[in-house]
Amino acid sequence: MFLAANLKYLRKFFGYSQKQVASFLEVDRSTYSYYEIGKTTPSPKNLIRLSGLYNTSIDDLLSKNLQNEIHPTETAGGDFMRPRSEDERELLMLFRGADGQAQAQMLQLCQGVSKG
């Protein structure tokens, strides 16, 4: 019931374009736009990926009006946790789309760069 509105709200909240999210999901932009208008529903695999991208549960994506629940000043870390640049958004997307082993490697790489 809330899925379409939540997808649109979260995408805008995190500063992603439809094209970026569609690329993340490996679908056409038009397919993703149908998710946001409620014409079609993402596959279970893509619901899982979207919940990971937005760090929320599938249950919340489907059954809550997240626009009334997620506000920049009320989220953990507040507005600070929202990606600020295209590079940050891209890195977050890559990280959240990766499996556990790849995420661990990314973290090691970032930690090595920040120490050096």
Side-chain angles (χ1 to χ4, degrees):
M1 178 176 199
F2 294 107
L3 180 63
N6 285 339
L7 292 177
K8 184 174 183 177
Y9 176 72
L10 289 169
R11 177 181 58 78
K12 289 183 174 189
F13 179 84
F14 281 91
Y16 296 127
S17 67
Q18 285 187 341
K19 185 177 178 180
Q20 287 173 309
V21 178
S23 177
F24 174 76
L25 297 175
E26 299 174 343
V27 298
D28 289 335
R29 190 209 52 81
S30 61
T31 300
Y32 179 76
S33 71
Y34 286 167
Y35 299 164
E36 286 192 4
I37 62 172
K39 190 171 182 177
T40 60
T41 303
S43 68
K45 175 185 172 186
N46 281 340
L47 277 174
I48 292 168
R49 296 193 78 203
L50 286 163
S51 72
L53 176 64
Y54 297 128
N55 196 29
T56 191
S57 70
I58 293 172
D59 185 51
D60 284 354
L61 279 176
L62 297 172
S63 63
K64 289 185 177 180
N65 181 353
L66 296 177
Q67 188 168 355
N68 292 335
E69 301 208 12
I70 299 176
H71 303 283
T73 57
E74 296 173 6
T75 56
D79 195 44
F80 173 76
M81 296 304 290
R82 292 169 65 180
R84 299 202 182 279
S85 69
E86 284 301 311
D87 289 340
E88 279 185 87
R89 281 188 272 285
E90 182 68 20
L91 184 60
L92 184 60
M93 249 187 200
L94 291 171
F95 183 81
R96 290 188 174 170
D99 63 25
Q101 183 179 1
Q103 286 180 344
Q105 290 173 340
M106 292 168 120
L107 283 174
Q108 285 178 338
L109 177 64
C110 289
Q111 289 166 343
V113 169
S114 68
K115 291 178 185 175

